[in-house]
């Protein structure tokens, strides 16, 4: 399906997501495509497969540079610097890197080795995202994590020692039997490590996880609300501005890769189970996904692609707003037409309804959720369903 863009559609910036699907062990809350690693990882075979996967997607680059790369998982830091270096070199041979490209690697404290991380930094990886989740022994045990609080603190120290001046700490709240003091204590320890970015989000029970089938005792809603309000105030007090539902950053340190997602930018996705969102110059926009199981992804007799779906004009308003309304500042109204090729008038009726309900700011130049709209984002998005 090709959209009539009227010359207003613009190809968005392009990012690359690389999925490394192995972990030391599967956590009971995790619904990501991750699998317990065996005694050895098929590093070289997987890098070969990733590059072959990227080769198949090259026609969708359309002459663009990569503005960011994100290694997610799983636990990408299980891979050696040698394997990641060969991969990055292969990617750059195929798609040029922007001069200021942001390259993020997800890592867990239990997989930290300072020499390894200095080698990652030497490859050009310039941002880490460290999965801490909590610093408290009982909470880490409940979450099935393999590190302790001291290891998490050492991980931040080692990140700096390895040359990373830009790193994120991933932290959860609303943990089993967590009090407000527990949650704020975790947050204070995280802030004391002076990360440039904090991802602070509530634990949710997802289908197809151990926690879904065996739910732990989670805090009551009023406690969760108090944790959220007190935590946001504490983060703001220490200079971490909230720019997305669960993302807080020091000035100039918002994650550029995720900002591209939330601004309805394009991203290639390679690796087992990776997803992509890609636009063509004629205005066609599609989502696609790759073969999920690592053994199938590595099987040369099988295809990397597991499916794709073209987004119709009736779907695009919801798809666009589902992303940009997560941002505290939303987006300029004109970005809607630039990213979708549709006239802004297509939003008019639903936009008026949302404004009248106090969920969307009455500003013709911007699409921005009100404070209430941010708190009840699903209710806001209902107005834009096809």
């Amino acid at each position: 399906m090709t959209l009539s863009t009227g010359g207003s559609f613009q190809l968005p910036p392009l990012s690359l997501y690389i999925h490394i699907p192995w972990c030391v062990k599967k956590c009971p809350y995790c619904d990501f495509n991750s699998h317990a690693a065996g005694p050895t990882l098929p590093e070289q075979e997987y890098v070969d497969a990733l590059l072959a996967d990227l080769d198949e997607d090259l026609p969708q680059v359309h002459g663009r540079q990569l503005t960011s790369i994100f290694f997610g998982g799983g636990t990408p830091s299980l891979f050696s610097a040698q394997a990641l270096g060969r991969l990055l070199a292969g990617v750059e041979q195929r798609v040029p890197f922007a001069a200021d490209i942001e390259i993020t690697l997800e890592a867990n404290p239990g997989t930290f080795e300072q020499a390894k991380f200095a080698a990652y930094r030497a490859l050009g990886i310039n941002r880490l995202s460290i999965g801490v989740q909590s610093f408290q022994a009982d909470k880490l045990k409940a979450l099935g994590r393999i590190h302790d609080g001291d290891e998490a603190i050492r991980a931040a120290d080692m990140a700096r020692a390895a040359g990373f001046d830009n790193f994120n700490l991933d932290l959860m709240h609303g943990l089993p039997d967590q009090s407000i003091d527990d949650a704020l204590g975790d947050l204070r320890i995280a802030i004391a490590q002076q990360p440039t970015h904090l991802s602070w989000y509530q634990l949710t029970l997802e289908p197809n996880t151990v926690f879904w089938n065996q739910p732990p005792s989670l805090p009551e809603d009023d406690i969760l609300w108090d944790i959220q309000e007190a935590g946001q105030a504490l983060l703001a007090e220490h200079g971490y501005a909230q720019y997305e539902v669960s993302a807080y950053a020091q000035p100039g340190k918002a994650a550029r890769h995720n900002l591209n997602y939330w601004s309805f930018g394009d991203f290639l996705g390679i690796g087992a189970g990776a997803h992509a969102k890609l636009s063509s110059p004629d205005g066609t926009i599609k989502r696609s996904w790759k073969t999920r199981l690592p053994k199938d992804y590595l099987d040369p007799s099988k295809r990397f692609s597991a499916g794709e779906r073209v987004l119709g004009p009736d779907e695009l308003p919801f798809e666009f707003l589902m992303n940009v309304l997560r941002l505290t500042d939303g987006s300029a109204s004109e970005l809607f037409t630039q990213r979708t090729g549709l006239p802004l008038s297509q939003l008019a009726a639903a936009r008026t309804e949302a404004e009248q309900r106090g969920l969307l700011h009455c500003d013709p130049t911007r699409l921005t959720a009100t404070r209430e709209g941010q708190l009840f984002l699903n209710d806001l998005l209902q107005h834009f369903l096809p």
Side-chain angles (χ1 to χ4, degrees), residues 38-238:
T40 59
L41 289 174
E43 283 190 339
Q44 300 309 317
E45 298 89 339
Y46 196 69
V47 169
D48 289 341
L50 288 168
L51 293 174
D53 188 359
L54 180 59
D55 283 335
E56 292 187 2
D57 287 346
L58 289 181
Q60 301 172 93
V61 172
H62 300 296
R64 288 173 287 181
Q65 296 181 322
L66 289 177
T67 61
S68 64
I69 297 173
F70 193 101
F71 290 93
T75 306
S77 55
L78 291 176
F79 267 37
S80 67
Q82 183 274 335
L84 295 187
R86 186 165 75 87
L87 175 56
L88 282 172
V91 172
E92 190 170 16
Q93 287 170 1
R94 291 160 171 81
V95 190
F97 290 5
D100 62 345
I101 189 170
E102 175 193 88
I103 305 178
T104 301
L105 179 83
E106 284 189 337
N108 286 332
T111 64
F112 261 75
E113 301 169 26
Q114 188 165 325
K116 189 178 183 181
F117 278 74
Y120 288 155
R121 184 68 188 89
L123 296 176
I125 295 170
N126 51 22
R127 186 174 180 272
L128 290 180
S129 182
I130 305 170
V132 172
Q133 315 312 353
S134 178
F135 294 92
Q136 298 169 29
D138 60 329
K139 301 298 182 284
L140 289 167
K141 182 179 180 181
L143 293 173
R145 304 294 287 172
I146 61 171
H147 66 272
D148 60 33
D150 289 341
E151 281 182 300
I153 291 170
R154 284 197 298 274
D157 291 339
M158 283 193 282
R160 273 187 293 270
F164 288 95
D165 57 4
N166 189 15
F167 68 94
N168 170 65
L169 295 183
D170 240 29
L171 200 65
M172 286 184 179
H173 61 87
L175 304 181
D177 299 313
Q178 189 177 48
S179 67
I180 297 173
D181 287 344
D182 288 339
L184 294 182
D186 265 348
L187 203 48
R188 288 190 182 96
I189 295 172
I191 290 168
Q193 309 320 306
Q194 299 181 309
T196 48
H197 189 286
L198 273 161
S199 297
W200 188 62
Y201 52 95
Q202 184 180 322
L203 170 65
T204 56
L205 305 186
E206 302 290 349
N208 303 313
T209 65
V210 172
F211 274 4
W212 180 263
N213 295 312
Q214 302 170 34
S217 173
L218 299 181
E220 299 290 336
D221 285 348
D222 57 343
I223 294 176
L224 292 173
W225 181 264
D226 290 344
I227 287 173
Q228 183 78 20
E229 288 206 317
Q232 288 177 338
L234 183 63
L235 285 160
E237 178 187 336
H238 286 85

Side-chain angles (χ1 to χ4, degrees), residues 321 325 344-363 367-370 372-373 376-386:
L321 292 166
L325 291 180
L344 194 59
S345 59
Q346 186 154 335
L347 298 179
R351 188 175 184 176
T352 299
E353 290 176 4
E355 289 171 352
Q356 289 173 346
R357 287 192 57 194
L359 300 174
L360 202 66
H361 281 296
C362 298
D363 181 350
L367 291 161
T368 310
T370 62
E372 185 175 359
F376 301 101
L377 187 56
N378 288 339
D379 291 344
L380 169 54
L381 292 171
Q382 292 295 315
H383 290 278
F384 300 95
L385 282 171

